[in-house]
Amino acid sequence: MKKDVREVALNILMQVEDKKAYSNLLLNQTIKNGHVDKKDIGLLTELVYGTIQRKLSLTFFLTPFVKKGLESLEPWVTTLLKMSLYQFVYLERIPDRAIIHEAVTIAKKRGHEGTGSLVNGVLRSIQRDGVPTFDSLKNQTKRLAFEYSFPKWMVRRWLEVYGEQATIEMMVTSLKPPVITIRVNQLITTPIELITLLEQEGVKAVNGTLSPDALVIKEGNPFTTKAFEQGLFTAQDESSMLVARALGPLPNEKVLDSCAAPGGKSTHLAEQMNNQGMLVSIDLHEHKVKLIQDQAKRLGLTMIEAKSGDVRTFSSETEHESFDKILLDAPCSGLGVIRRKPDIKWLKQESDIKDIAALQKSLLEAVAPLLKKGGRLVYSTCTIDKEENEAIVEQFLQTHPEFQWDKSLSERLPHQVSNVKGFAEGSVTILPQDFETDGFYIACLMKQ
């Protein structure tokens, strides 16, 4: 039986709040289970992501209208009010009266008559008086944090490194709904052919702007098509697609992907290698290794040897200088993919960065001896924090003089990447606003 879309959205938001569940996984599961009408999927996604993304702004707006303070309300009532307020402030197409009516109905159903009256009173006051402005916040970091709804520690770090304009652009881009991007399996088909095939199945796609392997989905669900079943493509963000091209593996080489799940970059490497040679894909978690294997099977890639285990242990048990090329797509804070996974900004703490950086350093130290002389190593992350990116690589180069920046990196990447502010000899930081993609860091090193 189909449920009211706002009730479903509230249930997802409460699971995210109470159980720290991931909103993208819950959304996908809810849509897959058919709990809402197809026509409501867009609104459901908007309500869930929007309410999470704008959490801090919504708290600022709501606080003056609850006399006893937000802590006096049951958590689900606060979340219902924030979700309703999100529609008031950020969604123009829904009439205020409909928003209030739906919220009061849910409040009575989930609580009682009194809860309905409270919700009605708060929302009508907001409708009458309007929400407060951020002008009263004189501290720059605090004002930007509330206005764009990002943790203060994150805003402060970005201001120190990128300045106010770039920080605002980054936050604005990260608040936009994510686009669906797919990577064409060029061993089987071409972007032009795939566009035609998808169109026949009711999916509209256009060429990507950054990667020659990318298509951007404009309409429809590509993951329910025969083209998907037949392995003609897989899901991947455009900036993430640059990693395999940066490594530039060749057919019949021996390559290591050292933190490989769920397999997007491993399968891209295999495609680049024409499915010839040896690609060892390692991940710490056994259940995630199955994701690599399943994806490789669907894409028709037979050269991937997926293993579970700690790459540091693998390194100590493996002959040194035995790989032509190595990819370390390191675990990171994920601050470059907030647009796609809005929960990240509320789950991460500033203290996490130091712990993550220590892990990244140990992984880079572990894989380095496995690379042959004359071989290439790519270190990449989906974060834009310099402590996890430039600082890691620069420190590594200081203690490993046998490694140098690979100055040929620009030859393997699209020309527009070389023009971004974050491009340097041998590395690039792609900010979300550069190409409206995920934020990414790619560093390319050669072993002398």
Side-chain angles (χ1 to χ4, degrees):
M1 184 182 163
K2 306 292 182 193
K3 299 175 184 173
D4 176 74
V5 65
R6 287 172 179 81
E7 274 191 76
V8 175
L10 180 60
N11 288 335
I12 291 174
L13 289 166
M14 289 315 299
Q15 285 184 70
V16 171
E17 195 72 34
D18 293 344
K19 300 174 184 173
K20 301 293 180 266
Y22 289 111
S23 58
N24 61 325
L25 299 181
L26 284 174
L27 260 174
N28 291 341
Q29 194 181 334
T30 302
I31 292 163
K32 194 176 175 183
N33 293 342
H35 288 161
V36 292
D37 276 323
K38 277 187 179 177
K39 65 178 175 59
D40 289 330
I41 288 171
L43 179 58
L44 176 68
T45 306
E46 178 81 65
L47 291 176
V48 171
Y49 279 172
T51 306
I52 293 169
Q53 284 279 37
R54 300 281 187 173
K55 180 176 165 181
L56 205 58
S57 306
L58 295 170
T59 301
F60 179 81
F61 293 149
L62 186 59
T63 300
F65 294 96
V66 182
K67 287 170 187 170
K68 292 182 181 177
L70 298 186
E71 61 281 355
S72 69
L73 302 175
E74 286 186 72
W76 72 265
V77 176
T78 305
T79 302
L80 174 61
L81 286 167
K82 285 180 182 175
M83 184 176 79
S84 305
L85 196 47
Y86 175 74
Q87 296 167 76
F88 268 168
V89 180
Y90 299 106
L91 298 185
E92 293 176 0
R93 64 187 182 272
I94 304 171
D96 288 357
R97 66 179 184 280
I99 297 166
I100 295 170
H101 173 74
E102 293 284 353
V104 171
T105 303
I106 293 169
K108 286 178 180 175
K109 187 175 174 183
R110 194 162 178 148
H112 48 74
E113 199 70 38
T115 319
S117 297
L118 184 147
V119 167
N120 184 58
V122 170
L123 293 179
R124 290 206 178 278
S125 296
I126 294 170
Q127 184 189 25
R128 184 183 65 244
D129 301 340
V131 295
T133 70
F134 301 103
D135 296 344
S136 59
L137 303 172
K138 300 305 177 192
N139 177 278
Q140 182 199 33
T141 303
K142 191 175 182 181
R143 178 173 52 78
L144 293 175
F146 275 104
E147 187 170 351
Y148 296 99
S149 196
F150 278 77
K152 278 185 280 187
W153 69 264
M154 216 176 275
V155 176
R156 178 180 48 75
R157 283 176 86 94
W158 292 350
L159 285 171
E160 286 169 5
V161 174
Y162 297 110
E164 185 174 19
Q165 187 183 340
T167 297
I168 290 172
E169 287 172 1
M170 188 144 54
M171 293 190 292
V172 167
T173 305
S174 296
L175 288 168
K176 292 177 182 177
V179 294
I180 297 172
T181 318
I182 60 174
R183 189 189 78 232
V184 181
N185 183 353
Q186 302 227 38
L187 291 182
I188 303 176
T189 187
T190 65
I192 294 171
E193 285 174 353
L194 185 55
I195 287 170
T196 305
L197 287 169
L198 287 172
E199 202 168 338
Q200 290 166 5
E201 296 197 64
V203 176
K204 186 181 176 186
V206 296
N207 284 312
T209 55
L210 191 56
S211 168
D213 303 309
L215 294 181
V216 177
I217 304 302
K218 294 295 186 182
E219 282 175 29
N221 182 357
F223 307 110
T224 56
T225 61
K226 285 179 186 169
F228 179 71
E229 280 176 36
Q230 292 163 357
L232 271 57
F233 66 89
T234 194
Q236 193 174 11
D237 186 78
E238 282 200 72
S239 53
S240 175
M241 292 181 208
L242 301 180
V243 175
R245 289 195 171 269
L247 189 63
L250 300 171
N252 300 314
E253 285 188 325
K254 188 178 178 185
V255 178
L256 172 66
D257 184 356
S258 43
C259 297
K265 295 178 188 71
S266 277
T267 53
H268 198 193
L269 292 169
E271 287 165 18
Q272 299 269 293
M273 296 168 75
N274 204 24
N275 201 27
Q276 294 168 5
M278 183 179 182
L279 175 57
V280 179
S281 299
I282 296 176
D283 197 84
L284 188 60
H285 308 286
E286 200 164 328
H287 68 283
K288 288 187 176 179
V289 170
K290 189 173 184 314
L291 297 176
I292 304 170
Q293 292 167 334
D294 289 348
Q295 193 171 169
K297 186 179 179 184
R298 185 179 59 79
L299 295 167
L301 302 167
T302 53
M303 67 173 291
I304 299 175
E305 188 184 324
K307 298 179 175 185
S308 66
D310 190 320
V311 75
R312 292 168 291 191
T313 307
F314 172 82
S315 177
S316 66
E317 296 167 353
T318 303
E319 186 185 345
H320 285 190
E321 300 189 353
S322 55
F323 288 92
D324 297 293
K325 295 193 172 108
I326 294 175
L327 169 60
L328 172 57
D329 186 50
C332 69
S333 61
L335 302 187
V337 296
I338 288 171
R339 184 178 179 182
R340 213 168 285 286
K341 298 177 179 177
D343 328 62
I344 284 174
K345 63 182 175 183
W346 309 121
L347 293 173
K348 296 292 179 193
Q349 305 293 325
E350 188 168 16
S351 56
D352 295 338
I353 304 280
K354 210 164 274 311
D355 296 338
I356 294 167
L359 171 62
Q360 292 164 334
K361 184 172 178 281
S362 71
L363 293 171
L364 189 52
E365 291 281 349
V367 300
L370 301 181
L371 189 65
K372 292 178 183 176
K373 286 184 175 70
R376 184 181 293 137
L377 186 155
V378 163
Y379 172 87
S380 64
T381 71
C382 59
T383 187
I384 40 79
D385 194 280
K386 288 190 180 288
E387 193 174 337
E388 300 175 73
N389 295 340
E390 290 90 336
I392 296 289
V393 178
E394 283 161 13
Q395 192 179 358
F396 174 79
L397 287 172
Q398 283 169 12
T399 53
H400 293 77
E402 73 276 21
F403 280 86
Q404 304 290 329
W405 288 111
D406 177 4
K407 294 173 185 177
S408 68
L409 172 63
S410 60
E411 296 167 17
R412 295 184 299 282
L413 296 181
H415 66 91
Q416 62 265 51
V417 175
S418 309
N419 297 326
V420 300
K421 200 173 179 183
F423 187 84
E425 220 170 33
S427 73
V428 63
T429 299
I430 296 173
L431 300 180
Q433 66 266 34
D434 287 338
F435 304 104
E436 299 262 327
T437 62
D438 290 347
F440 239 86
Y441 176 73
I442 302 169
C444 207
L445 308 175
M446 296 293 288
K447 191 174 192 179
Q448 306 303 306

